[in-house]
């Protein structure tokens, strides 16, 4: 449950997800869309499937590219749900507390069908999707605050993970995965590259990788910036954004054609961007804002539709008191 988390960690998440976390310099840019891409009224938002449970508060989602099975993680207790194609109600795949997991934030299914699940309080675990057996696990080294958030996997099988408190990106190589366990140590430190933000707020959140394995893109959700990490040289640069910004950006999805889809949590907004082939520029092409998105935390795109996590964090979750409705995953067409 949420009470298992350290109070400081929970407070950090709550602060980061509120409007008060926007730096003064960016307050006038709270809406990511510019006039060239006005919010769309007909967003075609529907419900794809339901998540069983009264206190799910989902955050992560991943689609298995081989069979289109969808996995969803609970921030509240670390449960991982599974929905096969055509299912209207997901089933529990990994129960709450499996392997000591407290949360299930970032999820990814790699090319070999292994499910990666981050636990914000410790690190990441890798599971066999056929049996549910844990294949490997990696934990953050050292003491002090941390929040392991999202991850991406490059074509060579290397995983990269963001830490929203430490502002670093961890790496797990195929050799480390084969070994089965180890420490998560920073591969890239972005502390000197991020826009200064209010104390206690998050910076790094969603992360994606270039389909060719040349670079990573990681979002600073408080400043609204997108950062490019060159995997060959290690250079860290800021992506030039045209038409808007990435304030409140949480989850990212990058398609092979350079289309970047983004979930902006507290503004109930989804945006679509065209990223240049070299990853140095991104242009806003569409914005959808709809309260029925219910604080979207991330998304997974497949041809024809985009699945979006409706977290309801503001209904009795980490963003405030209230009573949630049934927890569901949205299907959005036209993004």
């Amino acid at each position: 449950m949420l009470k298992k988390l350290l109070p400081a960690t929970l407070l950090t998440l709550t602060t980061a997800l509120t409007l008060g976390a926007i730096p003064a310099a960016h307050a006038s840019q709270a809406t990511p869309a510019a006039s060239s891409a006005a919010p769309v009224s007909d967003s075609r938002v529907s419900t794809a499937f339901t998540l069983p449970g009264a206190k799910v508060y989902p955050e992560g989602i991943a689609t298995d590219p081989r069979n289109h099975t969808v996995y969803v993680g609970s921030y509240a207790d670390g449960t991982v749900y599974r929905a096969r194609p055509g299912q209207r109600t997901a089933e529990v795949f990994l129960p709450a507390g499996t392997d000591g997991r407290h949360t299930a934030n970032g999820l990814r299914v790699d090319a070999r069908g292994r499910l990666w699940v981050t636990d914000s309080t410790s690190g990441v675990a890798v599971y066999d999707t056929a049996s549910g057996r844990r294949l490997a696990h990696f934990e953050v080294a050292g003491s002090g605050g941390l929040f392991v958030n999202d991850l991406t996997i490059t074509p060579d099988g290397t995983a990269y993970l963001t830490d929203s408190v430490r502002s670093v990106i961890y790496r797990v190589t195929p050799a480390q995965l084969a070994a089965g366990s180890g420490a998560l140590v920073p591969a890239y430190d972005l502390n000197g590259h991020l826009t200064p933000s209010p104390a206690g707020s998050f910076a790094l959140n969603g992360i994606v990788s270039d389909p060719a394995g040349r670079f990573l893109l990681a979002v600073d959700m408080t400043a609204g910036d997108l950062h490019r990490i060159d995997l060959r040289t290690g250079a860290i640069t800021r992506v030039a954004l045209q038409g808007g910004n990435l304030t409140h950006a949480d989850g990212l999805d990058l398609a092979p054609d350079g289309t970047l889809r983004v979930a902006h949590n507290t503004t109930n907004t989804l945006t679509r961007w065209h990223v240049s082939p070299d990853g140095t520029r991104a242009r806003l092409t569409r914005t959808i804002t709809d309260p029925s998105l219910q604080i979207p935390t991330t998304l997974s795109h497949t041809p024809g539709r985009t699945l979006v996590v409706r977290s309801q964090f503001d209904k009795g979750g980490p963003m405030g008191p209230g009573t949630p409705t049934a927890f569901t995953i949205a299907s959005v067409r036209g993004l």
Side-chain angles (χ1 to χ4, degrees), residues 108 150-153 206-210 215-219 226 251-254 260-261:
R108 285 288 187 276
D150 204 357
L151 78 156
T152 189
I153 302 171
I207 185 171
V208 290
S209 51
D210 164 39
F215 57 83
L216 307 173
L217 298 176
V219 70
L226 187 64
L252 310 177
D253 183 285
L254 181 62
L260 178 68
R261 294 172 174 87

Side-chain angles (χ1 to χ4, degrees), residues 265-266 268 291 293-297 309-314 319:
N265 48 44
T266 58
N268 288 317
L293 293 171
Q294 298 176 301
I295 314 296
T297 51
V309 175
R310 291 164 156 163
S311 74
Q312 296 193 70
F313 277 175
D314 60 338
M319 284 177 54

Side-chain angles (χ1 to χ4, degrees), residues 1-331:
M1 303 298 292
L2 289 171
K3 64 184 179 182
K4 292 181 181 178
L5 297 178
L6 294 175
T9 300
L10 183 57
L11 177 61
T12 300
L13 176 63
T14 305
T15 303
L17 290 176
T18 60
L19 295 175
I22 306 174
H26 293 267
S28 63
Q29 302 176 16
T31 300
S35 58
S36 60
V40 177
S41 58
D42 180 15
S43 58
R44 302 180 184 179
V45 178
S46 60
T47 296
F49 56 87
T50 300
L51 302 169
K55 298 284 186 179
V56 177
Y57 298 108
E59 184 167 10
I61 190 170
T63 301
D64 188 331
R66 305 168 307 159
N67 55 25
H68 303 292
T69 296
V70 179
Y71 297 89
V72 180
S74 166
Y75 173 76
D77 60 15
T79 300
V80 176
Y81 300 88
R82 176 177 60 192
R84 293 186 173 92
Q87 281 188 299
R88 297 297 296 173
T89 302
E91 60 188 358
V92 173
F93 176 60
L94 300 175
T98 302
D99 301 313
R101 186 177 54 255
H102 296 303
T103 71
N105 296 8
L107 276 68
R108 285 288 187 276
V109 179
D110 66 21
R112 295 181 58 182
R114 296 169 298 203
L115 175 65
W116 296 65
V117 183
T118 66
D119 180 338
S120 63
T121 69
S122 59
V124 64
V126 186
Y127 292 91
D128 175 39
T129 52
S131 65
R133 180 173 63 92
R134 190 177 73 173
L135 303 174
H137 66 101
F138 304 89
E139 297 188 357
V140 176
S143 58
L146 71 148
F147 197 101
V148 183
N149 202 325
D150 204 357
L151 78 156
T152 189
I153 302 171
T154 54
D156 68 355
T158 302
Y160 294 90
L161 307 92
T162 56
D163 189 320
S164 299
V165 169
R166 299 186 179 187
S167 296
V168 299
I169 296 175
Y170 305 112
R171 175 173 54 207
V172 178
T173 66
Q176 291 171 317
L177 178 60
S181 64
L184 282 180
V185 295
Y188 301 101
D189 188 337
L190 277 75
N191 279 282
H193 301 269
L194 301 178
T195 300
S197 59
S201 62
F202 279 4
L204 292 183
N205 199 326
I207 185 171
V208 290
S209 51
D210 164 39
R214 298 169 300 166
F215 57 83
L216 307 173
L217 298 176
V219 70
D220 179 342
M221 66 181 298
T222 301
D225 297 326
L226 187 64
H227 294 269
R228 181 188 187 277
I229 299 93
D230 191 301
L231 292 176
R232 184 179 62 86
T233 67
I236 300 170
T237 55
R238 193 168 299 172
V239 176
L241 301 178
Q242 178 184 352
N245 62 74
L246 293 173
T247 304
H248 303 300
D250 200 327
L252 310 177
D253 183 285
L254 181 62
D257 65 356
T259 299
L260 178 68
R261 294 172 174 87
V262 183
H264 303 250
N265 48 44
T266 58
T267 55
N268 288 317
T269 295
L270 307 174
T271 55
R272 185 179 69 200
W273 302 73
H274 176 71
V275 178
S276 63
D278 62 1
T280 61
R281 304 178 309 280
R283 176 173 53 87
L284 181 67
T285 60
R286 188 165 191 192
T287 299
I288 292 173
T289 299
D290 193 319
S292 72
L293 293 171
Q294 298 176 301
I295 314 296
T297 51
T298 193
L299 67 172
S300 176
H301 179 78
T302 55
R305 73 171 181 174
T306 304
L307 296 177
V308 180
V309 175
R310 291 164 156 163
S311 74
Q312 296 193 70
F313 277 175
D314 60 338
K315 298 295 192 298
M319 284 177 54
T323 303
T325 60
F327 288 96
T328 62
I329 298 301
S331 176

